[in-house]
Amino acid sequence: MAAAGAPVALAVALAAPGLWVAAGAWVLMAAGLMLADALLSARPAALELSVAAPRVLGVGRNDAAEVTAAFAGAGPRQVELALGANDRLSVSPARQTARAAGGAARARFALSPQRRGEGRIEGLWARWQGPLGLVWRQRETQPAHTLAVTPDVQAVKDEALRLFARDAPFGQKAQLDTGEGSDFHALKEFQTGMDLRSIDWKQSARHAKLVGREYRTERNHHVILAIDTGRLMSAPTAGIPRLDHAINAALLLGFVGLKLGDRVGLFAFDARPRVSSGVTAGAQAFPLIQRLAAQLEYSAEETNFTLGLTTLAGRLDRRALVVVFTDFADPTSAELMVENVQRLMRTHLVMFVVFRDQELEDLVRAEPQDADDVSRAVVAGALLRQREVVVARLKRLGAQIVQAKAGELGPALVNAYLGAKRRELL
């Protein structure tokens, strides 16, 4: 309005200098129209803002929050809505324009959990224009809605069900307790297809026919989930910290292990031991493992492998499968880890879970466009080779290595666990 009135006021002033007050009248008219627009628009006091959001959200599993702007009486045709949250949550999109129907406007915002802890929706904003489109009116409220960001247990259960469905023959044998394993179960008449090594020659001579030994699947193995919560595990990969990927994979393995009759324990450490649950048995023990895993905090301290793994070894009173979730940057930083793992492997079976660094692999494979791209690819390649040196050394020591992308870590770990049971490594 000011831009449209300026040429007119200038023309009037040039044609009739005595009428210069017309410019002031134009300004007053514009101000009057703005005031009328503000008075005719819906009042902020007549607006009620509310949000409907989940109370619990798993890391890596997105959900939605619905914001409602309800006007008492006549409302505008459309409302611009915005939602704000703390650093535990990411909100997308930042703002939305929603059409009002029946005096209420609604918009859905995607909530993406970034880290475990307490997520808070800290603010709701709504603004709308008057009927003349000259002014904005705005209302802000703080709903104080909190939600718990926890490990993604639902994804763990869904993945476990898929794995059990895929490995149905193995699951059936585990329920029958016969067919695989090394625990002697009974003698039975030898049949075609049975392993020749199962023939009991003494009993065959006694019964004058071939008799074979039948074995059953071993149970009550100790499985220790040893999670490194140090600085490197707080670094993100695939959108969330490595620690959360490790927790999800550990919970999946714990759920499967408890269902198969093994005893599962949780141990966490960084600069010093943080959590030590001892071993528990039965599917009813899974909520305890889940609750302890949800309490693991992100740490900025360097991991003390000597203290952590020595403490763990002192608390194990029988041979166990120790699954170590950790990360390392180079052979130098991994030296103490390798030394302590070597001592642990004298008594126990150690399985290392190693994250494949997708970002470094993408830098190596990317087609270079300039000299900086070449430098990044060379550095990324050197870092990947250093990681492979450590992995190869662990393999030579006898450790089982599970190396997979963050999204494929859980199934790969369960397959390695089932393979170790089939090969009677425990």
Side-chain angles (χ1 to χ4, degrees):
M1 292 179 67
V8 177
L10 179 61
V12 170
L14 292 175
L19 298 177
W20 63 269
V21 293
W26 178 263
V27 173
L28 291 176
M29 183 187 69
L33 290 174
M34 292 171 61
L35 179 61
D37 195 26
L39 293 175
L40 293 174
S41 64
R43 296 178 297 108
L47 171 64
E48 181 180 355
L49 284 172
S50 61
V51 59
R55 290 292 179 181
V56 179
L57 199 57
V59 174
R61 181 178 291 268
N62 297 341
D63 210 324
E66 184 175 274
V67 176
T68 302
F71 289 88
R77 292 190 299 271
Q78 60 184 21
V79 181
E80 193 172 299
L81 299 171
L83 179 67
N86 67 346
D87 58 354
R88 303 284 176 172
L89 298 172
S90 174
V91 179
S92 177
R95 62 181 65 187
Q96 293 189 56
T97 300
R99 289 191 171 276
R106 295 178 176 84
R108 290 175 66 86
F109 293 84
L111 299 179
S112 302
Q114 302 299 305
R115 291 173 178 261
R116 287 173 295 105
E118 184 182 74
R120 293 190 305 276
I121 296 178
E122 297 180 330
L124 295 177
W125 292 268
R127 71 172 188 170
W128 60 96
Q129 288 182 313
L132 302 179
L134 299 178
V135 298
W136 286 96
R137 303 202 73 172
Q138 182 167 309
R139 173 75 185 276
E140 177 187 357
T141 185
Q142 296 178 351
H145 182 95
T146 61
L147 56 94
V149 182
T150 65
D152 191 6
V153 180
Q154 186 58 46
V156 169
K157 293 183 177 179
D158 293 344
E159 188 64 37
L161 291 175
R162 284 194 293 269
L163 289 172
F164 276 117
R166 187 185 64 190
D167 290 340
F170 178 77
Q172 182 180 8
K173 291 178 182 178
Q175 291 177 0
L176 294 175
D177 279 339
T178 60
E180 294 189 8
S182 58
D183 279 357
F184 175 74
H185 177 60
L187 291 172
K188 64 180 296 185
E189 185 176 353
F190 184 84
Q191 298 175 356
T192 303
M194 291 179 63
D195 191 348
L196 294 176
R197 292 173 296 180
S198 67
I199 298 176
D200 189 322
W201 295 105
K202 291 183 179 180
Q203 296 296 329
S204 298
R206 180 176 300 174
H207 292 84
K209 61 181 179 181
L210 288 178
V211 176
R213 298 186 186 93
E214 188 177 53
Y215 298 93
R216 63 182 178 183
T217 303
E218 291 182 283
R219 294 180 180 270
N220 290 324
H221 293 302
H222 286 195
V223 179
I224 306 299
L225 309 172
I227 302 178
D228 171 13
T229 62
R231 177 181 61 84
L232 291 178
M233 290 293 285
S234 297
T237 181
I240 62 176
R242 284 175 167 81
L243 178 58
D244 291 318
H245 287 297
I247 289 175
N248 290 341
L251 289 177
L252 177 60
L253 178 58
F255 184 81
V256 173
L258 291 171
K259 293 289 287 184
L260 293 182
D262 287 335
R263 303 173 67 86
V264 177
L266 179 67
F267 182 81
F269 63 101
D270 48 25
R272 60 183 181 274
R274 299 293 182 179
V275 173
S276 181
S277 68
V279 292
T280 56
Q284 68 275 8
F286 180 71
L288 171 63
I289 302 296
Q290 172 192 342
R291 185 169 62 253
L292 292 175
Q295 295 173 0
L296 297 181
E297 293 291 341
Y298 305 98
S299 174
E301 300 185 49
E302 293 292 341
T303 303
N304 188 335
F305 288 101
T306 301
L307 179 58
L309 296 181
T310 301
T311 302
L312 174 60
R315 295 178 181 179
L316 299 178
D317 55 2
R318 56 168 286 185
R319 179 174 170 82
L321 169 62
V322 180
V323 185
V324 181
F325 299 84
T326 188
D327 196 19
F328 44 85
D330 52 70
T332 303
S333 62
E335 187 64 32
L336 286 176
M337 177 188 70
V338 173
E339 291 180 3
N340 288 277
V341 166
Q342 188 173 5
R343 287 194 290 268
L344 193 64
M345 289 176 55
R346 295 171 185 169
T347 308
H348 308 283
L349 176 64
V350 178
M351 185 176 291
F352 255 90
V353 180
V354 180
F355 290 90
R356 285 183 55 184
D357 199 318
Q358 191 63 38
E359 183 177 357
L360 291 180
E361 293 179 0
D362 291 342
L363 288 174
V364 172
R365 289 195 299 264
E367 182 178 353
Q369 302 295 330
D370 51 36
D372 289 341
D373 292 339
V374 175
S375 300
R376 280 191 286 267
V378 170
V379 173
L383 292 175
L384 288 176
R385 286 192 296 272
Q386 290 177 356
R387 291 173 65 89
E388 289 301 323
V389 168
V390 178
V391 171
R393 184 175 177 186
L394 290 171
K395 288 181 178 179
R396 287 195 300 270
L397 293 175
Q400 305 293 310
I401 303 297
V402 178
Q403 192 169 9
K405 298 178 182 178
E408 303 169 357
L409 198 60
L413 179 57
V414 171
N415 288 334
Y417 161 72
L418 296 178
K421 287 176 70 71
R422 291 190 181 102
R423 289 179 289 161
E424 302 176 10
L425 298 178
L426 302 182

